Structures are given as structure tokens and as C-alpha cells.
Amino acid sequence: QVQLVESGGGLVQPGGSLRLSCVAPGTDLDAYFIGWFRQAPGKGREGISFISSFDRTTNYADSVKGRFTVSRDNAKKTVYLQMNSLKPGDTAVYYCAADLMVHGDRWSFPDEYLFWGQGTQVTVSA
């Protein structure tokens, strides 16, 4: 069992930045593919970013491309989501998810991931 913990959410003004972190206490995330998802009130869970385990291939949804950057620090056993130029439409609960194998063309599908964190709230508002 892998327990994921997200942190770094909060309230930010439009145009601001936040950096989310995803860790798994007691587990080395090096071998895991990591996806970032978000869910706004009344909407489904949207896959927004992905980073592979071995070659650090990344993918992004069109809605965040050019504004968000995913990275991983294996020494710190942490995966990050740097979010810049935030918009009110980015308001959501953000989740990280992990699995040992994720098919590349399905990285944004929630059912590709076995392990999930509890989420961290991001609110973008003036």
C-alpha cells in the first residue's frame, strides 16, 4: 500500500504561483509513474500532468500547458507541480496519483492509477 500526501495548496490571486508537493512516507516513489489530477466542484476529475518513473517523460493537459511544470526529486522522494499564471478556472482540489505502470496514451485517465492522495485545495481568487 502506498500512501500519498499532497501539500502546498492555498489561496492565491490570479496570476500568482503555487508549488504542490507529493510524497509517500515510507515508500520510494522512484519506481512509480505519477499523475496530477484536479477536481473542481460539480466536475469530473481532470488529468493535468504526468511524469514517468524512468526517463521522466512529462505530459500536460492543454488547459495547463505552458503554465504548469511537473518534476521529481528522487533524492527528496518528492514530486512537484509548479503552477504559474494561475487563473480562477484553476480552482480545484488537486490530487497526485501513482502506479508502477501507466500506459503513455492513458496518463490522464484516473483508472490508470492505483494509489491516490487525499488532495489539497487550490483557490485562485482576488
Side-chain angles (χ1 to χ4, degrees):
Q1 187 75 7
V2 177
Q3 293 184 324
L4 299 172
V5 179
E6 304 95 340
S7 62
L11 173 64
V12 64
Q13 293 186 342
S17 298
L18 285 173
R19 187 177 75 164
L20 305 184
S21 299
C22 175
V23 298
T27 300
D28 189 345
L29 284 179
D30 292 1
Y32 288 83
F33 293 72
I34 304 295
W36 283 97
F37 291 76
R38 67 185 181 185
Q39 188 164 16
K43 295 188 177 181
R45 197 161 290 192
E46 176 190 15
I48 57 172
S49 188
F50 163 85
I51 186 165
S52 69
S53 62
F54 49 94
D55 63 1
R56 303 194 180 190
T57 296
T58 58
N59 282 303
Y60 299 93
D62 288 344
S63 58
V64 306
K65 198 172 295 182
R67 300 187 298 124
F68 291 11
T69 303
V70 62
S71 62
R72 60 193 311 158
D73 185 333
N74 287 345
K76 294 184 177 180
K77 305 186 187 304
T78 303
V79 178
Y80 301 102
L81 184 68
Q82 178 67 42
M83 306 187 298
N84 299 328
S85 303
L86 284 162
K87 307 173 182 178
D90 294 318
T91 296
V93 177
Y94 283 70
Y95 302 88
C96 64
D99 208 311
L100 288 171
M101 175 55 67
V102 174
H103 296 91
D105 58 346
R106 291 184 54 84
W107 67 267
S108 63
F109 287 72
D111 61 5
E112 282 289 304
Y113 302 83
L114 181 59
F115 305 107
W116 289 81
Q118 293 186 325
T120 185
Q121 176 70 45
V122 171
T123 303
V124 185
S125 175

